């Protein structure tokens, strides 16, 4: 079934371009049907594999390396979830993208992205892998150009070009790294590639491929394309690519390098841990001061990559398992957060936290799904984010807490700041006072509720019954045997998701009982005064909003966005925030700092798709000629 999981959505996406622009409903039905079939085929392939490696049946019309697909314990569950995310975003888009332009292109791009992602995950030939990997970059560029509803054309094209420049340069490094791997091993078959990361050429190959992996995942310093894209691309696109599939692809490649391709030295593991810890702290600090919900979520998407890289960098089985599990958990709750943000945008027309508030009363379903995902990303038990972060912490302890305590502190500090950041978001969007101009908001339709509901449910299941994904998916990939549900996870530290959840529920019930007992039997209702006059009585308005309306004043609400302005004002942090907002960590600044290089890159990256296709073809030709020359020698 492996070729079908890859080529069915790609071919169907190409054919879908022929559907007339006016036939919107048939296009949505066909896209949903193809995405559903692809997901079911991936599930059947997972079940049929039985955890053992197996290759695709060769197709008679193509050379073997063109269809060299292989499913093993590392990629089998990733294909299922990549297909699931493609299906959920397709269903969500039926309501979210309604009335938008370029829908004739949008749904085909979603299908092609799903198929290309599955192709990159299943490819067992480096050239095939690079081809599918590059195709995902092309669809990311094209989906970004569709643009957010409130983004100017200039902003959209600048963000799309920036993602192409950064990821294209990283992909070039990846291609050179693969060339060095071939020069040392003499094979392009990934399952036959095995190197020790010692010596200049081997280390160079590892680092170059690592650049490609970390850029796709969004780790620092190759991260700056994600915040820019967040303000320019549709939120549904952010949920599919930077939040979900790009994380799967980038961390998959990193895990493949560490587990199968290279025997990694302690020095390279230390490099990974430094990158991971720096990404966690720097990105979450930047997230705290953002006022645009999309940009705030984008920095959290970057920060969470740090936990994955940090866990894999420990070099311990439990740490690598934690990094892989966090990759999966992050894709689930981050996709849910972006989709709930899209629902808020659809009903209110804004992502500015200062212009939002009180939506929990009119969008209760969206609030609940957002709350579950926010608790999960913050590492609050019993949700899935806590379990994977706990495993990363245990990996650091096993690696040597005496030597690596600073990384453990950074990881836990990042979790604390994540909690603080989402308290701000919850207050500003859902729990604060409703601004005067925000009227008519209501719950979204069924198509936009389905995907967040599925992802929020997975946040709960993968937290309470974390043994299930650990036993079925993550454990076999790293050679660990976890106890089945409801047993305690005892590797590297005692934690039972089942017992822990029961104790938490008991504590909450006890607390609620004490709260009810403390309530007065009789409640006295009195008038509320502001400046000697009543305000907002009987109108459903808050005190400050009613007073502002009566006095024809600007909104006097207490904004959640103002709470962390004191943090920005601290002497040291003020400098760091200013540097970050000026893009000091933006890798694209290298081109601006070197004018000749910048002019060359500007000429090469013109924003014209045909130019990019020409460069890709030229690069493939050069690579093939170089490989033939090496084989001839």
């Amino acid at each position: 079934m492996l070729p079908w999981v890859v080529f069915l959505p790609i071919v169907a996406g190409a054919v879908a371009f022929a559907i007339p622009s006016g036939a919107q409903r048939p296009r949505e039905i066909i896209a949903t049907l193809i995405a559903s079939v692809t997901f079911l085929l991936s599930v059947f392939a997972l079940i049929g594999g039985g955890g053992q490696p197996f290759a695709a049946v060769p197709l008679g019309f193509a050379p073997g390396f063109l269809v060299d697909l292989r499913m093993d314990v590392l990629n089998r569950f990733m294909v299922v979830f990549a297909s699931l995310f493609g299906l959920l975003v397709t269903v969500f888009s039926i309501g979210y993208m309604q009335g938008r332009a370029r829908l004739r292109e949008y749904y085909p791009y979603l299908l092609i992205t799903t198929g290309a992602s599955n192709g990159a995950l299943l490819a067992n030939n480096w050239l095939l892998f690079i081809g599918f990997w590059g195709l995902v970059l092309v669809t990311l560029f094209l989906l970004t150009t569709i643009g957010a509803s409130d983004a100017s054309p200039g902003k959209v094209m600048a963000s799309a070009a920036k993602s192409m420049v950064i990821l294209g340069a990283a992909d070039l490094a990846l291609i050179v790294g693969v060339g060095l791997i071939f020069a040392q091993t003499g094979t392009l078959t990934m399952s036959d590639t095995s190197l020790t990361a010692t010596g200049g050429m081997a280390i160079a190959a590892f680092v170059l491929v690592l650049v490609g992996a970390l850029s796709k995942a969004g780790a620092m310093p190759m991260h700056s394309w994600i915040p820019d894209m967040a303000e320019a691309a549709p939120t549904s696109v952010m949920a599919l690519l930077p939040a979900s599939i790009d994380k799967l692809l980038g961390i998959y490649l990193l895990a493949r390098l560490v587990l199968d391709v290279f025997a990694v030295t302690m020095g390279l593991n230390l490099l990974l841990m430094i990158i991971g810890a720096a990404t966690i702290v720097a990105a979450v600090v930047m997230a705290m001061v953002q006022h645009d919900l999309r940009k705030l979520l984008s920095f959290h998407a970057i920060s969470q990559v740090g936990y994955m890289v940090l866990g894999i960098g420990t070099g311990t089985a439990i740490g690598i398992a934690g990094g892989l599990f966090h990759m999966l958990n992050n894709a689930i709750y981050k996709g849910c957060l972006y989709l709930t943000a899209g629902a808020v945008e659809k009903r209110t027309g804004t992502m500015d936290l200062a212009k939002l508030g009180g939506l929990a009363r009119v969008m209760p379903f969206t609030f609940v799904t957002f709350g579950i995902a926010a608790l999960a990303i913050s590492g609050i038990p019993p949700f899935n984010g806590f379990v994977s972060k706990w495993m990363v912490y245990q990996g650091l302890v096993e690696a040597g807490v005496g030597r690596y305590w600073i990384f453990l502190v950074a990881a836990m500090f990042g979790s604390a700041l994540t909690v603080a950041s989402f308290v701000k978001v919850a207050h500003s969007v859902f729990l604060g006072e409703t601004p005067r101009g925000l009227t008519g908001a209501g719950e979204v339709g069924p198509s936009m509720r389905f995907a967040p509901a599925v992802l929020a449910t997975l946040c709960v299941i993968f937290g309470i019954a974390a043994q299930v994904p650990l036993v079925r998916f993550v454990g076999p990939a790293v050679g660990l045997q976890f106890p089945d549900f409801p047993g305690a996870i005892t590797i590297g530290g005692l934690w039972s998701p089942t017992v822990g959840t029961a104790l938490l529920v008991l504590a909450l019930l006890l607390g609620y009982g004490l709260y009810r007992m403390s309530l007065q039997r009789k409640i006295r209702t009195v008038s509320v005064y502001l400046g000697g006059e009543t305000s907002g009585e009987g109108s459903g308005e808050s005190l400050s909003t009613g007073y502002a309306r009566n006095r024809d004043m600007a909104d006097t609400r207490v904004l959640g966005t103002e709470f962390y302005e004191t943090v920005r004002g601290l002497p040291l942090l003020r400098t760091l925030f200013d540097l970050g907002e000026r893009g000091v960590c933006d890798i694209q600044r290298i081109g601006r700092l070197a004018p000749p290089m910048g002019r060359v890159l500007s000429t090469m990256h013109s924003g014209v798709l045909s130019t990019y296709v020409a460069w890709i073809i030229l690069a493939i030709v050069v690579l093939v000629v170089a490989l033939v020359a090496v084989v001839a020698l």
Side-chain angles (χ1 to χ4, degrees):
M1 295 182 183
L2 300 190
W4 288 98
V5 173
V6 176
F7 295 110
L8 174 63
I10 292 178
V11 173
V15 173
F17 282 108
I19 300 176
S21 300
Q24 182 55 33
R25 184 59 63 184
R27 182 182 295 106
E28 294 170 349
I29 294 174
I30 292 173
T32 303
L33 178 63
I34 296 298
S36 301
V37 172
T38 302
F39 171 65
L40 291 176
L41 290 174
S42 68
V43 172
F44 292 151
L46 170 65
I47 297 173
Q52 299 301 319
F54 64 95
V57 177
L59 302 181
F61 62 84
F65 74 89
L66 290 180
V67 288
D68 191 359
L69 305 176
R70 183 176 185 267
M71 178 176 280
D72 58 20
V73 292
L74 180 58
N75 61 16
R76 64 192 184 111
F77 72 90
M78 296 186 186
V79 171
V80 172
F81 282 95
S83 301
L84 175 63
F85 296 136
L87 170 61
L88 294 179
V89 170
T90 301
V91 175
F92 180 85
S93 299
I94 294 174
Y96 176 75
M97 295 295 291
Q98 188 174 11
R100 297 284 302 276
R102 296 180 60 185
L103 292 181
R104 184 176 183 178
E105 307 167 45
Y106 176 79
Y107 288 100
Y109 292 156
L110 292 185
L111 292 175
I112 294 172
T113 299
T114 302
S117 303
N118 289 339
L121 291 169
L122 292 171
N124 192 37
N125 180 281
W126 281 109
L127 289 180
L128 184 65
F129 171 82
I130 291 172
F132 284 124
W133 183 277
L135 182 56
V136 174
L137 173 58
V138 172
T139 57
L140 180 144
F141 173 84
L142 295 171
L143 285 167
T144 303
T145 61
I146 291 176
S149 58
D150 60 345
S152 65
K155 174 65 175 176
V156 170
M157 292 309 301
S159 299
K162 183 173 186 175
S163 64
M164 182 66 77
V165 168
I166 294 177
L167 294 178
D171 289 356
L172 177 60
L174 170 63
I175 292 172
V176 175
V178 169
L180 294 178
I181 291 174
F182 176 76
Q184 296 173 83
T185 62
T187 180
L188 287 172
T189 302
M190 297 175 69
S191 57
D192 295 339
T193 304
S194 180
L195 287 169
T196 301
T198 56
M201 184 176 290
I203 293 176
F206 178 86
V207 171
L208 288 170
V209 179
L210 176 66
V211 168
L214 295 183
S215 300
K216 182 73 77 174
M220 287 188 169
M222 309 291 288
H223 69 287
S224 59
W225 62 276
I226 297 179
D228 276 39
M229 182 179 170
E231 295 180 302
T235 306
S236 56
V237 174
M238 293 298 298
L240 178 64
L241 283 164
S244 302
I245 285 182
D246 281 343
K247 298 294 182 290
L248 291 179
L249 291 177
I251 301 303
Y252 162 76
L253 179 55
L254 176 59
R256 183 68 77 185
L257 288 179
V258 172
L259 294 174
D260 297 333
V261 178
F262 286 92
V264 183
T265 61
M266 184 179 297
L268 293 176
N269 278 330
L270 181 61
L271 173 64
L272 291 176
M273 287 192 284
I274 292 173
I275 293 173
T279 300
I280 291 171
V281 176
V284 76
V285 167
M286 288 299 298
M288 290 181 65
V289 297
Q290 301 302 319
H291 291 184
D292 186 283
L293 181 56
R294 295 166 297 191
K295 200 165 183 180
L296 182 146
L297 293 178
S298 71
F299 277 109
H300 279 296
I302 297 165
S303 177
Q304 295 302 304
V305 175
Y307 289 96
M308 308 169 206
V309 177
L310 183 61
I312 294 175
T314 64
T316 63
I318 190 67
I320 296 174
L324 290 175
F325 193 28
H326 199 70
M327 169 205 67
L328 179 57
N329 289 335
N330 173 79
I332 293 170
Y333 56 62
K334 181 55 67 174
C336 184
L337 287 170
Y338 267 113
L339 294 179
T340 53
V344 170
E345 177 196 8
K346 186 70 175 180
R347 286 303 184 218
T348 64
T350 182
M351 287 286 202
D352 189 343
L353 296 180
K355 298 179 181 179
L356 296 169
L359 293 181
R361 292 184 288 272
V362 294
M363 302 180 70
F365 183 88
T366 300
F367 170 60
V368 170
T369 52
F370 167 85
I372 291 173
L375 292 171
I377 192 176
S378 301
I380 305 297
F383 301 103
N384 57 347
F386 170 79
V387 183
S388 52
K389 286 185 178 181
W390 179 272
M391 293 170 64
V392 172
Y393 301 157
Q394 291 300 326
L396 287 167
V397 172
E398 276 195 17
V401 70
R403 290 178 296 172
Y404 303 131
W405 63 270
I406 187 64
F407 301 123
L408 182 59
V409 171
M412 299 180 74
F413 181 63
S415 291
L417 293 185
T418 302
V419 174
S421 181
F422 277 96
V423 168
K424 160 188 168 179
V425 175
H427 170 79
S428 298
V429 179
F430 294 102
L431 300 179
E433 301 176 27
T434 304
R436 295 170 61 189
L438 188 61
T439 58
E443 194 57 82
V444 293
S447 66
M448 294 182 67
R449 293 201 300 265
F450 174 72
V454 172
L455 295 175
T457 302
L458 289 176
C459 289
V460 176
I461 294 175
F462 282 15
I464 295 175
Q467 301 92 329
V468 174
L470 289 175
V471 169
R472 303 291 186 270
F473 305 145
V474 179
V478 296
L480 283 180
Q481 291 186 346
F482 290 94
D484 245 322
F485 179 83
I489 300 173
T490 57
I491 299 177
L494 179 62
W495 168 252
S496 173
T498 312
V499 176
T501 302
L503 293 175
L504 285 169
V505 171
L506 180 62
L508 291 173
L509 291 175
L510 179 61
Y512 180 74
L514 294 174
Y515 165 74
R516 295 293 301 179
M517 290 173 59
S518 67
L519 293 177
Q520 295 181 1
R521 294 182 178 277
K522 295 182 179 180
I523 300 176
R524 184 167 61 95
T525 303
V526 297
S527 299
V528 179
Y529 290 85
L530 181 66
E533 298 184 9
T534 59
S535 175
E537 293 181 59
S539 66
E541 293 178 321
S542 67
L543 182 66
S544 58
T545 303
Y547 180 80
R549 179 182 57 80
N550 292 335
R551 291 288 181 260
D552 196 24
M553 295 169 55
D555 208 335
T556 59
R557 296 176 301 129
V558 177
L559 302 177
T561 53
E562 296 173 349
F563 183 77
Y564 294 112
E565 290 302 317
T566 54
V567 178
R568 182 194 288 269
L570 295 176
L572 176 61
L573 291 180
R574 180 173 62 245
T575 303
L576 295 177
F577 285 134
D578 291 342
L579 291 174
E581 290 181 347
R582 291 204 303 267
V584 171
C585 296
D586 190 345
I587 199 70
Q588 196 185 28
R589 285 175 59 89
I590 295 175
R592 294 195 290 268
L593 294 175
M597 182 185 299
R599 286 193 293 270
V600 172
L601 291 176
S602 297
T603 303
M604 294 173 61
H605 297 279
S606 59
V608 180
L609 179 60
S610 58
T611 303
Y612 295 138
V613 173
W615 283 117
I616 292 172
I617 294 174
L618 178 61
I620 293 174
V621 170
V622 172
L623 181 60
V624 171
V625 171
L627 293 177
V628 171
V630 171
V631 173
L633 292 176

